[in-house]
Amino acid sequence: MERTEIVLEGRKGEIQLFSDDQKAGKMDISVIGKKLTVYHTEVNPEYEGKGFAKILLEKLVSYARENDLKISPLCPYVHAQFKRHPEEYADVWMKGD
């Protein structure tokens, strides 16, 4: 069973993904004002190919929507997904940043 947690200490933090209570991956993020910056997405090698990066992305986007934030996708994975599906992420994508 997979679950996600958002851990923010001050402005910086992580979105953590757990599978059967083992940390399987994370996204490095920061929140300043209404801007959520995502720097890096990482899935542990033993969990690759299971769609876990997508689970992290879904949590990132839902958190941004719930908190009226715009996402600055510095992470190559997130940026690629935003470019592939611009209509899906238009409301949260901070373009030109």
Side-chain angles (χ1 to χ4, degrees):
M1 184 72 196
E2 286 76 51
R3 67 181 170 84
T4 54
E5 277 181 27
I6 295 180
V7 179
L8 278 174
E9 296 186 17
R11 296 177 174 176
K12 294 189 178 247
E14 294 180 342
I15 298 175
Q16 301 175 345
L17 174 66
F18 296 88
S19 180
D20 298 323
D21 290 325
Q22 298 296 314
K23 190 171 178 183
K26 67 180 180 108
M27 280 182 162
D28 295 325
I29 63 169
S30 69
V31 178
I32 300 173
K34 290 292 183 181
K35 177 179 175 182
L36 190 166
T37 304
V38 56
Y39 301 97
H40 177 70
T41 300
E42 182 177 313
V43 174
N44 296 347
E46 62 269 27
Y47 296 102
E48 288 177 357
K50 298 183 178 187
F52 283 9
K54 181 74 172 172
I55 293 170
L56 285 163
L57 176 63
E58 288 168 359
K59 182 64 173 183
L60 173 80
V61 171
S62 69
Y63 181 79
R65 288 179 176 142
E66 289 165 12
N67 293 280
D68 194 30
L69 303 171
K70 294 289 187 182
I71 298 170
S72 175
L74 300 184
C75 166
Y77 169 75
V78 176
H79 191 253
Q81 291 302 313
F82 279 21
K83 283 180 74 174
R84 248 182 236 131
H85 309 285
E87 66 291 335
E88 190 174 338
Y89 303 113
D91 62 321
V92 293
W93 187 1
M94 181 180 279
K95 289 187 178 179
D97 200 48

